Amino acid sequence: MKIAIFGSQEYDIESLNEANKKYSYDLTFFKAYLNEKTASLAKDFDAVCIFVQDTANKAVIDILAKEGVKTIALRCAGFNNVDLDSAKTNNISVVNVPAYSPHAVAEHAIGLILSLNRKIHHAYLRIRDGNFSLKGFLGFDLYGKTVGVVGTGKIGQETAKILKLGFGCKVIAADPYPNKSLEKEHKIEYVDLNVLLKNSDIISLHCPLTPQTKHMINKESIAKMKKGVMLINTSRGTLINTQEVIDALKSQQIGYLGLDVYEEETSLFYQDLSSSIITDDVFARLTTFPNVLITSHQGFFTKEALTTISNTTFENIEKISKNEKCENELTKK
Ligand code: NAI
């Protein structure tokens, strides 16, 4: 079994090689992301393994099929970057890793909330500069604040529980499929999205990117929020209309913004561009706000999550190659 691993980072190589000891697959690591220009690298491979920055649209999948690829194995949960219909048409199986560590992403969302509120990232720099002033560092108690969690799947529910049980927040949630145990055991109230937007001091996004959720945070939805709201997005960048969020930061309608994801992150994230000129003016503007904290899609990045991702990726590929039922298959042949 020959597997082409696209968008490989050092940590992917390490953790996939470790997990592969059990399988001895023939792995080839490509630094390049999968896209129309690189898809032909997959010639004669049985499977491609991809992550969030890779693109498997119709054009890419047509090339993969021509080159003999039978399986697309996502080493992540979200699959908005894969055209499942084209995969099905081309008889290519698509598998993902739906749950590797919901704790990793939920805990990162909490990290963004705490850092933004208490300005920990600014304090770190100030202290190193010998400046012990507290000017501008006034925060607020999380206890008793209302947090709106949008999407209460695996990650959203962990986030909701940490905020409720750990910090004593009032947590409200919006999800077309409410989670009964969150409602009953943890007294988390499901409300209409508009009610959540209106009443939340902090809003944390945990729903997938779909045609329905694309740009769900836009000037209309922002206008419904409390003035000075904290907005956290660890889900997918395109849930947010970034330009309209920038306008709201300028008018101070949004008081804090924590992002682990960004609409145009593919050309930036996971690369060292410290000696390059950033040509994305929207991103550059975001970095000028003192109340914006951005991380480079690292919510998933814990040891535990990497191990589970690698093991599950190979389990998926193994099952598909043996024609066994695979619970993580996104499209049936
Ligand atoms: P999940 O599939 O378990 O949960 C998603 C939830 O969103 C479901 O309960 C679904 O009913 C709900 N939902 C769907 N449409 C909605 C809408 N219009 N409004 C409100 N809720 C809606 O997914 P999981 O594992 O919790 O992941 C959530 C998202 O987090 C993923 O789609 C992915 O984009 C992102 N993610 C980010 C990572 C990172 O490193 N920052 C790592 C892993 C996932």
Side-chain angles (χ1 to χ4, degrees):
M1 163 77 72
K2 288 180 70 183
I3 307 172
I5 293 144
F6 282 87
S8 308
Q9 302 285 341
E10 264 171 47
Y11 50 82
D12 292 315
I13 298 172
E14 208 175 295
S15 70
L16 287 165
N17 274 335
E18 181 60 33
N20 191 37
K21 284 181 182 161
K22 187 173 159 194
Y23 299 91
S24 301
Y25 290 139
D26 182 355
L27 308 184
T28 301
F29 293 93
F30 294 109
K31 269 200 167 174
Y33 294 131
L34 178 67
N35 56 40
E36 285 169 54
K37 287 186 188 148
T38 61
S40 54
L41 289 170
K43 186 173 171 49
D44 296 332
F45 282 88
D46 304 292
V48 295
C49 176
I50 64 172
F51 192 56
V52 292
Q53 316 292 7
D54 297 290
T55 304
N57 58 16
K58 182 180 181 312
V60 170
I61 289 176
D62 285 346
I63 300 170
L64 295 179
K66 202 176 91 211
E67 303 296 7
V69 170
K70 297 277 177 291
T71 306
I72 297 173
L74 286 143
R75 53 181 191 280
C76 57
F79 51 88
N80 51 283
N81 51 342
V82 181
D83 183 339
L84 295 180
D85 290 336
S86 294
K88 191 170 179 180
T89 312
N90 282 291
N91 222 16
I92 290 180
S93 300
V94 183
V95 289
N96 74 339
V97 184
Y100 39 89
S101 174
H103 308 286
V105 186
E107 289 168 14
H108 192 72
I110 303 297
L112 291 174
I113 293 172
L114 288 172
S115 300
L116 279 167
N117 176 18
R118 307 304 296 269
K119 285 82 176 171
I120 295 169
H121 50 308
H122 291 300
Y124 170 79
L125 294 173
R126 205 180 269 188
I127 296 292
R128 288 169 72 96
D129 204 26
N131 178 353
F132 301 94
S133 153
L134 296 184
K135 193 162 186 280
F137 283 179
L138 189 64
F140 57 84
D141 284 5
L142 279 179
Y143 179 83
K145 293 294 178 298
T146 300
V147 186
V149 175
V150 181
T152 53
K154 291 174 284 300
I155 296 170
Q157 60 180 286
E158 285 310 319
T159 310
K161 283 191 237 168
I162 296 171
L163 288 162
K164 174 99 187 181
L165 303 173
F167 293 97
C169 295
K170 177 180 179 195
V171 181
I172 55 178
D175 192 311
Y177 302 98
N179 175 317
K180 292 215 163 58
S181 93
L182 266 191
E183 251 178 330
K184 288 211 170 107
E185 285 170 39
H186 300 291
K187 309 278 177 272
I188 285 166
E189 188 191 349
Y190 279 89
V191 296
D192 179 77
L193 180 63
N194 286 328
V195 175
L196 182 148
L197 297 175
K198 183 168 172 244
N199 291 291
S200 300
D201 301 296
I202 300 170
I203 296 171
S204 194
L205 304 178
H206 299 287
C207 57
L209 175 61
T210 64
Q212 292 73 40
T213 60
K214 181 178 176 190
H215 286 179
M216 68 191 297
I217 303 299
N218 54 33
K219 64 174 184 291
E220 285 82 25
S221 55
I222 293 167
K224 294 174 186 162
M225 297 176 190
K226 279 190 184 179
K227 188 156 179 83
V229 65
M230 182 188 290
L231 178 65
I232 304 292
N233 186 11
T234 57
S235 201
R236 284 291 180 267
T238 310
L239 294 181
I240 285 182
N241 181 323
T242 313
Q243 186 54 57
E244 292 178 6
V245 163
I246 288 175
D247 295 340
L249 284 160
K250 285 160 79 176
S251 71
Q252 300 179 36
Q253 171 69 5
I254 292 180
Y256 312 79
L257 177 67
L259 299 180
D260 188 44
V261 286
Y262 168 61
E263 281 191 87
E264 304 297 333
E265 68 181 51
T266 306
S267 57
L268 299 168
F269 287 8
Y270 303 141
Q271 302 166 68
D272 179 359
L273 301 178
S274 52
S275 307
S276 310
I277 304 297
I278 303 290
T279 53
D280 181 336
D281 291 347
V282 175
F283 185 82
R285 181 68 178 101
L286 273 182
T287 63
T288 67
F289 294 97
N291 52 350
V292 173
L293 177 54
I294 306 173
T295 53
S296 178
H297 206 139
Q298 68 175 75
F300 74 99
F301 199 48
T302 66
K303 284 183 211 161
E304 291 79 0
L306 282 188
T307 304
T308 309
I309 287 171
S310 299
N311 290 337
T312 310
T313 298
F314 291 131
E315 275 162 32
N316 288 342
I317 291 174
E318 174 92 340
K319 282 183 186 158
I320 294 293
S321 69
K322 289 182 170 168
N323 262 326
E324 289 173 8
K325 185 176 158 38
C326 177
E327 61 282 8
N328 299 331
E329 185 164 8
L330 297 167
T331 178
K332 291 263 170 280
K333 278 190 194 173

